[in-house]
């Protein structure tokens, strides 16, 4: 068991000496940005924020942590939405920031791979790929701050999953420091390798509970020549699903994003994010943002998109559509979608759900969950949006106008319970892409098969026998 008493002053000095005084942060001001997260749900305490500058330093930190039973919380860009990267309130957990491991080690354009250290931001990886005339297709609204190590540890999804898969599908090899301090060099660049268990997949999505990812070999893709973006208005989620079907039938693998936007989410953006404009002259209850890519030309992408949307309007599935006339307008359309997460902060308390259901079940889920939430809390304002093409919606619920924020947020679990019950009825997932962390930890046992849970606990015990890595995240305790 890890200690929950703060490490002794002598132990703190030993940890600090590994990275040097200037990278062992002790003052509240220096530590502050690491101790609270984006949604302001978790505020932690720590005796030390360590910023190692090499893999060897990470290894020495974990070796000492193992020897002294000290809990370690790995952190990348601190954009995680389930509290896994923030130390708890005990003041006993040491935070290890990977931000200084920020080198692109290699770009192999011919082999379509890129090797990056864990602390490179996602935007940094995208830019390095772009410079080599390649595409790294993972894309999230947080890409300027989140790190590739964090993306791997959360198996991040985002807006490119439809065409390119989630992070798991984009990783060929990993370098990981184990809880013992041993360094596993699994930086393979192979597309085919059936030489036993695929261990890298254990660390992808493990949220820092099984090891610290220090570098990765990532898969690159050809850069599309043409990309076209449109927003279409639809009457209902059912029409959005039917439209998705039609666009897929017309454009196949060229459809790279298909995002649902409810009118309320769009109104929040227009109210709180200056510089954004309503995409259409009159309001519509629902919208979809569609992006089509072509390996041949912009014209091909545009022809495909216009034909698919034209047919959809004729068939009565869409009531209006606007195709972006320029890259700036395409970026403006994407901004409307990306800002929805952020602007909810301005509307008081917001209770989050990151759910997945089979795509065909999305209309029923939205209808049933909206009814259930509005019955539970009259005046609660649902804000469904997200990756319809992956069956993944962010079904957030803003407080009634004028309600007391703290009293509303105190009902978080109650609201989750009614929404998650509907997710389960539809055979869905209560965490499609954000992970479990601390926020959903107590729900894991109710959504995973007992045999699965037992295997998860055994894996944790084997790789982290002393439970020093991110204790209390994902699993309550491997022995519980
Ligand atoms: P952190 O927040 O620092 O850490 C996340 C978890 O990974 C923690 O448990 C931490 O302990 C662990 N960890 C971090 N680095 C390492 C490492 N090197 N080794 C081992 N463990 C590590 N997520 C999506 O999937 N899709 C989205 O569309 C999306 N949109 C977002 C939009 C906004 C505005 C924001 C704020 C967040 C969004 N997220 C989304 C969530 C978040 O950006 C992702 O989870 C991201 O992958 C986290 O990366 P990070 O570097 O910030 O990790």
């Amino acid at each position: 068991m890890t200690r929950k008493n703060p490490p002794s002053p002598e132990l703190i000095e030993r940890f600090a000496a590994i990275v040097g005084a200037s990278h062992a942060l002790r003052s509240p001001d220096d530590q502050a940005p690491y101790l609270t997260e984006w949604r302001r749900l978790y505020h932690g305490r720590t005796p030390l924020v360590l910023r190692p500058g090499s893999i060897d330093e990470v290894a020495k930190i974990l070796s000492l942590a193992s020897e002294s039973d000290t809990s370690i919380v790995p952190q990348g860009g601190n954009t995680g939405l389930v509290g896994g990267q923030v130390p708890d309130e005990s003041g006993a957990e040491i935070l290890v920031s990977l931000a200084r491991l920020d080198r692109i080690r290699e770009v192999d354009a011919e082999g379509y791979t890129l090797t990056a250290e864990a602390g490179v931001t996602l935007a940094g990886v995208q830019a390095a790929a772009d410079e080599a005339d390649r595409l790294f297709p993972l894309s999230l609204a947080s890409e300027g701050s989140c790190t590739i190590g964090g993306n791997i540890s959360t198996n991040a999804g985002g807006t490119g999953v439809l065409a390119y898969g989630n992070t798991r599908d984009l990783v060929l090899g990993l370098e990981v420091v184990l809880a013992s301090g041993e360094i596993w060099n699994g930086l393979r660049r192979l597309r085919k390798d059936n030489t036993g268990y695929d261990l890298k997949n254990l660390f992808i999505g493990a949220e820092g509970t099984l090891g610290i990812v220090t570098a990765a070999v990532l898969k690159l893709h050809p850069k599309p020549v043409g990309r076209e973006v449109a927003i279409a208005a639809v009457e209902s989620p059912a029409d959005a699903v039917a439209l998705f079907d039609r666009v897929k039938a017309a454009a196949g693998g060229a459809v790279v994003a298909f995002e649902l936007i409810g009118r309320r989410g769009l109104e929040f953006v227009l109210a709180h994010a200056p510089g954004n404009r309503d995409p259409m002259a009159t309001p519509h209850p629902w919208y979809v943002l569609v992006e089509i890519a072509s390996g041949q030309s912009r014209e091909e992408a545009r022809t495909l998109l216009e034909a698919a949307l034209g047919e959809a309007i004729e068939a009565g599935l869409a009531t209006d559509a606007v195709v972006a006339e320029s890259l700036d307008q395409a970026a403006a359309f994407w901004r409307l979608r990306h800002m929805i997460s952020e602007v909810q902060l301005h509307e008081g308390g917001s209770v989050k759900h990151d759910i997945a259901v089979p795509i065909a079940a999305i209309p029923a889920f939205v209808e049933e969950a909206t009814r259930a939430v509005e019955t539970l809390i009259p005046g609660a304002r649902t804000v469904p949006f997200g990756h319809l093409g992956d069956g993944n919606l962010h079904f957030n619920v803003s407080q009634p106008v004028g309600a007391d924020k703290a009293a509303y947020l105190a009902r978080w679990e109650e609201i989750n319970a009614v929404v998650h019950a509907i997710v389960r009825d539809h055979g869905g997932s209560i965490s499609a892409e954000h992970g479990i962390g601390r926020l959903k930890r107590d729900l894991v046992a109710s959504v995973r098969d007992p045999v699965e849970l037992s295997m998860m606990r055994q894996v944790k015990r084997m790789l982290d026998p002393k439970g020093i890595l991110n204790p209390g995240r994902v699993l309550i305790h491997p022995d519980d």
Side-chain angles (χ1 to χ4, degrees):
M1 276 287 287
T2 46
R3 70 175 75 219
K4 279 294 171 187
N5 296 322
S8 67
E10 185 238 333
L11 187 55
I12 289 177
E13 292 312 321
R14 287 178 69 196
F15 275 112
I18 295 172
V19 295
S22 58
H23 295 297
L25 312 182
R26 303 169 198 236
S27 83
D29 280 355
D30 288 345
Q31 290 187 352
Y34 300 87
L35 299 184
T36 188
E37 43 68 69
W38 197 77
R39 282 183 180 157
R40 313 275 183 275
L41 287 177
Y42 296 98
H43 304 271
R45 291 198 305 126
T46 185
L48 214 46
V49 170
L50 296 174
R51 292 167 40 88
S54 69
I55 315 309
D56 279 348
E57 287 181 4
V58 177
K60 283 182 184 148
I61 292 168
L62 290 197
S63 170
L64 179 56
S66 235
E67 175 197 320
S68 59
D69 283 353
T70 306
S71 301
I72 297 293
V73 177
Q75 189 179 95
N78 192 13
T79 68
L81 297 176
V82 289
Q85 73 281 14
V86 179
D88 67 15
E89 295 72 24
S90 68
E93 298 182 335
I94 289 184
L95 189 147
V96 175
S97 162
L98 282 307
R100 284 180 66 220
L101 299 186
D102 62 353
R103 273 189 323 131
I104 301 281
R105 291 194 192 162
E106 189 181 15
V107 183
D108 173 2
E110 283 177 0
Y112 283 82
T113 67
L114 180 154
T115 308
E117 293 185 347
V120 181
T121 61
L122 174 53
V125 172
Q126 293 166 343
D130 190 61
E131 261 175 49
D133 200 29
R134 297 288 179 263
L135 174 76
F136 184 63
L138 186 68
S139 178
L140 322 178
S142 54
E143 62 202 20
S145 313
C146 65
T147 62
I148 195 67
N151 301 147
I152 290 167
S153 301
T154 56
N155 186 26
T159 50
V161 176
L162 190 55
Y164 301 100
N166 49 30
T167 304
R168 195 182 295 286
D169 301 300
L170 299 170
V171 176
L172 289 173
L174 285 185
E175 179 185 81
V176 180
V177 179
L178 303 180
S180 59
E182 286 167 286
I183 300 170
W184 171 45
N185 183 342
L187 289 174
R188 299 194 184 91
R189 298 197 231 162
L190 306 173
R191 313 252 157 185
K192 291 185 138 186
D193 179 18
N194 282 348
T195 53
Y197 306 132
D198 185 356
L199 295 174
K200 72 174 184 301
N201 270 315
L202 281 178
F203 298 96
I204 301 173
E207 302 182 48
T209 61
L210 300 180
I212 294 192
V213 174
T214 48
V217 182
L218 306 167
K219 257 188 225 172
L220 302 181
H221 286 263
K223 236 162 70 175
V225 179
R227 295 181 87 117
E228 291 290 325
V229 178
I231 291 190
V234 291
E235 284 298 306
S236 65
D239 283 351
V241 170
L243 178 59
F244 175 61
D245 230 30
R246 186 168 283 255
V247 173
K248 279 291 276 183
V255 189
V256 291
F258 197 95
E259 300 281 313
L260 182 71
I261 301 172
R263 178 69 197 175
R264 184 176 278 130
L266 180 63
E267 275 174 3
F268 285 2
V269 174
L270 299 175
H272 302 296
N276 290 291
R277 292 182 44 202
D278 210 326
M280 289 168 197
T282 52
H284 298 270
W286 297 91
Y287 304 86
V288 293
L289 184 153
V290 191
E291 179 165 322
I292 301 254
S294 160
Q296 302 304 315
S297 64
R298 255 194 100 176
E299 291 66 41
E300 186 187 66
R302 197 170 183 94
T303 307
L304 276 172
L305 187 57
E306 285 179 345
L309 292 177
E311 280 172 26
I313 290 177
E314 256 175 49
L317 293 178
T319 45
D320 199 356
V322 201
V323 180
E325 287 302 334
S326 63
L327 290 178
D328 281 352
Q329 198 179 12
F333 285 177
W334 266 115
R335 211 164 36 245
L336 293 173
R337 158 64 188 86
H338 280 316
M339 291 301 291
I340 298 175
S341 308
E342 197 176 318
V343 292
Q344 289 164 63
L345 281 172
H346 303 285
E347 291 285 333
S350 170
V351 173
K352 313 291 185 186
H353 307 89
D354 164 36
I355 67 98
V357 291
I359 295 174
I362 283 181
F365 165 78
V366 172
E367 194 190 318
E368 290 163 25
T370 302
R371 199 179 328 120
V373 163
E374 289 175 353
T375 305
L376 183 71
I377 303 185
R381 295 167 295 160
T382 57
V383 186
F385 67 102
H387 320 298
L388 182 140
D390 312 325
N392 171 202
L393 288 189
H394 302 304
F395 188 83
N396 296 344
V397 187
S398 286
Q399 68 178 58
V401 175
D404 178 73
K405 182 175 173 183
Y408 175 73
L409 288 178
R411 301 187 70 181
W412 188 294
E413 286 177 15
E414 214 184 323
I415 300 171
N416 277 181
V418 297
V419 173
H420 289 161
I422 296 162
V423 172
R424 279 191 208 104
D425 286 349
H426 289 287
S429 166
I430 60 159
S431 186
E433 58 176 12
H434 295 160
I436 295 295
R438 290 155 74 184
L439 186 67
K440 295 183 183 165
R441 183 198 64 187
D442 297 341
L443 301 175
V444 172
S446 66
V447 295
R448 299 298 289 257
D449 175 272
V451 177
E452 255 177 341
L453 270 178
S454 159
M455 287 192 285
M456 283 166 68
R457 290 180 181 127
Q458 290 178 58
V459 168
K460 171 72 176 169
R461 258 186 245 123
M462 182 199 53
L463 285 171
D464 182 16
K466 292 191 165 181
I468 61 163
L469 282 169
N470 247 354
R473 280 74 171 182
V474 182
L475 294 170
I476 298 175
H477 183 274
D479 295 326
D480 290 335

